Amino acid sequence: MALYDMHSHILPDFDDGAETVEDSLALIDSLVKQGVTNICLTPHFYTNERSLEDFVTERNSAFSKFLPEIPEGVNVVLGSEVYVTPFLFNNTNLNDITYGKSRYILTEFSYSASFKNKTMQQIYMLIENFRVMPVIPHVERYETLMSKPEIIEELKSMGILIQSNIGNYTEKASYFRKRKLLKYISGGLIDILGSDAHSFKHNTPEVFREAYRTISAKCGANRAELLMENAEKVFTAAVNGENTISRNKFYADLID
């Protein structure tokens, strides 16, 4: 089973993640040793702090410099972790900040968001006006989503994907949070995993295999494999320029 890290801050010298090329390569090496050879580079894009054009120019430049350093056998997709604010909607399109060539976009909202009114309006605008499909990162950080799984079900019915960080499934993780997240995985409420790796001290990728084993043991091997199958579909879409996950016919035209 191929393993996929769908959220990382491994792109060097760009945001608050890896500081140097050497740091980045060490993080990648840690993932590879655990069998993770498919990695999404998703640096922070704070839409209230810089323009999309400046972000894309600087991110792409950093990636171009790093690309020759990426080890053979490691597949990478360039994306971004987009903090959604009203400024984001001043742009004509968001094609340059999705996962690669796909229309999936890693979208971070305020952790206090109620996922009513304002937030849902922003989500509808992303889907209907910009024709991109949100991926909600580190679901465990949203109090509303952790206390109201029915809202996750509503989001997923629209085609939205839910991502969780591997650090929540280790021996050192919070017992109660881990138990709830494992229940979410068993219930199909979480779609993909990511390390959210910044360094070996901040969301270390060293626990990826441990997290995967825990999920497999507690939720079943089939459920763990499904997380990777979902990730593979997004990764493939990012490389080939097609969306392959759509849960609602109303949004089926996203794959056109």
Side-chain angles (χ1 to χ4, degrees):
M1 170 62 64
L3 299 182
Y4 293 79
D5 184 352
M6 301 304 293
H7 179 180
S8 80
H9 297 273
I10 291 175
L11 185 65
D13 191 28
F14 186 74
D15 61 359
D16 61 344
E19 294 184 359
T20 67
V21 170
E22 291 73 22
D23 292 337
S24 298
L25 293 177
L27 293 169
I28 289 176
D29 182 63
S30 173
L31 286 167
V32 170
K33 287 178 178 177
Q34 298 172 84
V36 184
T37 56
N38 305 283
I39 304 169
C40 293
L41 308 177
T42 53
H44 290 288
F45 172 29
Y46 293 108
T47 58
N48 56 325
E49 296 181 0
R50 63 201 307 188
S51 71
L52 186 149
E53 292 78 9
D54 287 348
F55 171 81
V56 170
T57 297
E58 295 174 22
R59 182 204 61 177
N60 290 359
S61 176
F63 181 64
S64 294
K65 294 176 183 177
F66 183 51
L67 190 57
E69 306 293 337
I70 295 173
E72 184 177 354
V74 175
N75 307 306
V76 297
V77 159
L78 183 62
S80 47
E81 182 181 7
V82 182
Y83 185 67
V84 178
T85 70
F87 295 101
L88 178 64
F89 301 96
N90 293 332
N91 295 288
T92 303
N93 69 72
L94 306 178
N95 298 341
D96 290 332
I97 54 175
T98 59
Y99 278 110
K101 298 177 182 178
S102 80
R103 291 194 175 276
Y104 292 106
I105 182 169
L106 195 63
T107 48
E108 182 180 29
F109 298 89
S110 168
Y111 298 147
S112 62
S114 63
F115 287 88
K116 296 179 181 178
N117 302 326
K118 177 183 176 181
T119 305
M120 291 306 295
Q121 182 181 22
Q122 290 176 330
I123 288 172
Y124 287 132
M125 288 175 64
L126 287 168
I127 295 173
E128 296 176 7
N129 296 356
F130 290 90
R131 292 173 55 82
V132 296
M133 186 59 74
V135 178
I136 307 294
H138 32 60
V139 62
E140 55 274 358
R141 297 185 186 178
Y142 297 90
E143 181 178 350
T144 296
L145 299 183
M146 290 298 287
S147 61
K148 297 180 179 179
E150 65 273 14
I151 295 180
I152 297 180
E153 292 176 351
E154 178 184 358
L155 294 171
K156 284 171 61 63
S157 73
M158 298 163 60
I160 290 168
L161 303 183
I162 306 298
Q163 180 258 314
S164 182
N165 284 1
I166 58 172
N168 296 286
Y169 306 96
T170 67
E171 185 178 349
K172 295 181 179 180
S174 163
Y175 172 79
F176 293 104
R177 175 181 284 187
K178 177 166 59 176
R179 185 174 66 175
K180 174 167 282 193
L181 288 168
L182 289 169
K183 183 177 180 180
Y184 275 17
I185 290 176
S186 294
L189 297 183
I190 292 174
D191 299 290
I192 57 177
L193 299 176
S195 67
D196 195 11
H198 288 64
S199 68
F200 289 111
K201 294 182 178 180
H202 183 186
N203 296 340
T204 176
E206 296 173 292
V207 298
F208 201 105
R209 178 60 73 171
E210 179 188 353
Y212 187 80
R213 286 187 183 132
T214 297
I215 293 168
S216 184
K218 299 295 184 180
C219 305
N222 289 343
R223 185 60 67 179
E225 290 171 4
L226 181 59
L227 294 172
M228 292 301 123
E229 290 172 6
N230 290 337
E232 181 180 17
K233 291 176 181 178
V234 176
F235 205 91
T236 300
V239 173
N240 296 334
E242 299 176 349
N243 271 5
T244 54
I245 299 177
S246 180
R247 294 186 176 84
N248 191 317
K249 291 181 179 179
F250 181 76
Y251 301 108
D253 65 332
L254 279 170
I255 68 174
D256 292 344

